mmCIF file of all heavy atoms in Angstrom:
data_model
loop_
_atom_site.group_PDB
_atom_site.id
_atom_site.type_symbol
_atom_site.label_atom_id
_atom_site.label_comp_id
_atom_site.label_asym_id
_atom_site.label_seq_id
_atom_site.Cartn_x
_atom_site.Cartn_y
_atom_site.Cartn_z
ATOM 1 N N VAL C 134 -75.987 40.408 -19.814
ATOM 2 C CA VAL C 134 -77.071 39.467 -20.058
ATOM 3 C C VAL C 134 -76.559 38.028 -20.024
ATOM 4 O O VAL C 134 -75.564 37.691 -20.667
ATOM 5 C CB VAL C 134 -77.759 39.749 -21.411
ATOM 6 C CG1 VAL C 134 -78.715 38.614 -21.776
ATOM 7 C CG2 VAL C 134 -78.520 41.065 -21.339
ATOM 8 N N ILE C 135 -77.251 37.195 -19.244
ATOM 9 C CA ILE C 135 -76.992 35.755 -19.229
ATOM 10 C C ILE C 135 -78.146 35.095 -19.974
ATOM 11 O O ILE C 135 -79.284 35.124 -19.523
ATOM 12 C CB ILE C 135 -76.894 35.212 -17.788
ATOM 13 C CG1 ILE C 135 -75.826 35.970 -16.998
ATOM 14 C CG2 ILE C 135 -76.584 33.715 -17.814
ATOM 15 C CD1 ILE C 135 -75.777 35.602 -15.513
ATOM 16 N N LEU C 136 -77.833 34.550 -21.139
ATOM 17 C CA LEU C 136 -78.826 33.885 -21.981
ATOM 18 C C LEU C 136 -78.888 32.412 -21.590
ATOM 19 O O LEU C 136 -77.851 31.745 -21.501
ATOM 20 C CB LEU C 136 -78.438 34.040 -23.454
ATOM 21 C CG LEU C 136 -79.398 33.497 -24.497
ATOM 22 C CD1 LEU C 136 -80.722 34.240 -24.483
ATOM 23 C CD2 LEU C 136 -78.759 33.581 -25.888
ATOM 24 N N LEU C 137 -80.098 31.897 -21.362
ATOM 25 C CA LEU C 137 -80.275 30.554 -20.809
ATOM 26 C C LEU C 137 -81.004 29.629 -21.778
ATOM 27 O O LEU C 137 -82.051 29.991 -22.315
ATOM 28 C CB LEU C 137 -81.079 30.618 -19.506
ATOM 29 C CG LEU C 137 -80.573 31.538 -18.393
ATOM 30 C CD1 LEU C 137 -81.576 31.540 -17.248
ATOM 31 C CD2 LEU C 137 -79.201 31.118 -17.911
ATOM 32 N N ASP C 138 -80.473 28.439 -21.970
ATOM 33 C CA ASP C 138 -81.153 27.366 -22.699
ATOM 34 C C ASP C 138 -80.474 26.068 -22.280
ATOM 35 O O ASP C 138 -79.243 25.977 -22.344
ATOM 36 C CB ASP C 138 -81.040 27.559 -24.206
ATOM 37 C CG ASP C 138 -82.029 26.707 -24.994
ATOM 38 O OD1 ASP C 138 -82.604 25.768 -24.401
ATOM 39 O OD2 ASP C 138 -82.224 26.965 -26.193
ATOM 40 N N PRO C 139 -81.230 25.064 -21.818
ATOM 41 C CA PRO C 139 -80.575 23.832 -21.364
ATOM 42 C C PRO C 139 -79.723 23.149 -22.426
ATOM 43 O O PRO C 139 -78.726 22.519 -22.104
ATOM 44 C CB PRO C 139 -81.749 22.932 -20.957
ATOM 45 C CG PRO C 139 -82.855 23.866 -20.646
ATOM 46 C CD PRO C 139 -82.686 25.015 -21.591
ATOM 47 N N MET C 140 -80.101 23.285 -23.706
ATOM 48 C CA MET C 140 -79.435 22.538 -24.759
ATOM 49 C C MET C 140 -78.849 23.471 -25.820
ATOM 50 O O MET C 140 -79.545 24.348 -26.329
ATOM 51 C CB MET C 140 -80.418 21.581 -25.445
ATOM 52 C CG MET C 140 -81.328 20.825 -24.484
ATOM 53 S SD MET C 140 -80.446 19.687 -23.429
ATOM 54 C CE MET C 140 -80.281 18.300 -24.544
ATOM 55 N N LEU C 141 -77.598 23.272 -26.163
ATOM 56 C CA LEU C 141 -76.991 23.903 -27.338
ATOM 57 C C LEU C 141 -76.801 22.785 -28.359
ATOM 58 O O LEU C 141 -75.790 22.088 -28.348
ATOM 59 C CB LEU C 141 -75.662 24.563 -26.987
ATOM 60 C CG LEU C 141 -74.920 25.237 -28.148
ATOM 61 C CD1 LEU C 141 -75.747 26.363 -28.743
ATOM 62 C CD2 LEU C 141 -73.557 25.764 -27.688
ATOM 63 N N ALA C 142 -77.807 22.578 -29.200
ATOM 64 C CA ALA C 142 -77.801 21.453 -30.146
ATOM 65 C C ALA C 142 -77.255 21.915 -31.497
ATOM 66 O O ALA C 142 -76.050 21.969 -31.690
ATOM 67 C CB ALA C 142 -79.205 20.872 -30.268
ATOM 68 N N THR C 143 -78.137 22.296 -32.425
ATOM 69 C CA THR C 143 -77.648 22.839 -33.706
ATOM 70 C C THR C 143 -77.037 24.222 -33.503
ATOM 71 O O THR C 143 -76.206 24.651 -34.300
ATOM 72 C CB THR C 143 -78.799 22.954 -34.715
ATOM 73 O OG1 THR C 143 -79.752 23.915 -34.235
ATOM 74 C CG2 THR C 143 -79.473 21.603 -34.938
ATOM 75 N N GLY C 144 -77.467 24.900 -32.456
ATOM 76 C CA GLY C 144 -76.990 26.259 -32.197
ATOM 77 C C GLY C 144 -77.854 27.333 -32.822
ATOM 78 O O GLY C 144 -77.665 28.517 -32.557
ATOM 79 N N GLY C 145 -78.822 26.931 -33.644
ATOM 80 C CA GLY C 145 -79.624 27.915 -34.359
ATOM 81 C C GLY C 145 -80.421 28.832 -33.456
ATOM 82 O O GLY C 145 -80.464 30.051 -33.676
ATOM 83 N N SER C 146 -81.064 28.283 -32.431
ATOM 84 C CA SER C 146 -81.878 29.103 -31.532
ATOM 85 C C SER C 146 -81.026 30.087 -30.751
ATOM 86 O O SER C 146 -81.379 31.263 -30.603
ATOM 87 C CB SER C 146 -82.664 28.203 -30.566
ATOM 88 O OG SER C 146 -83.588 27.399 -31.267
#
Side-chain angles (χ1 to χ4, degrees):
V134 170
I135 304 173
L136 184 65
L137 305 175
D138 196 345
M140 317 294 278
L141 179 61
T143 65
S146 296

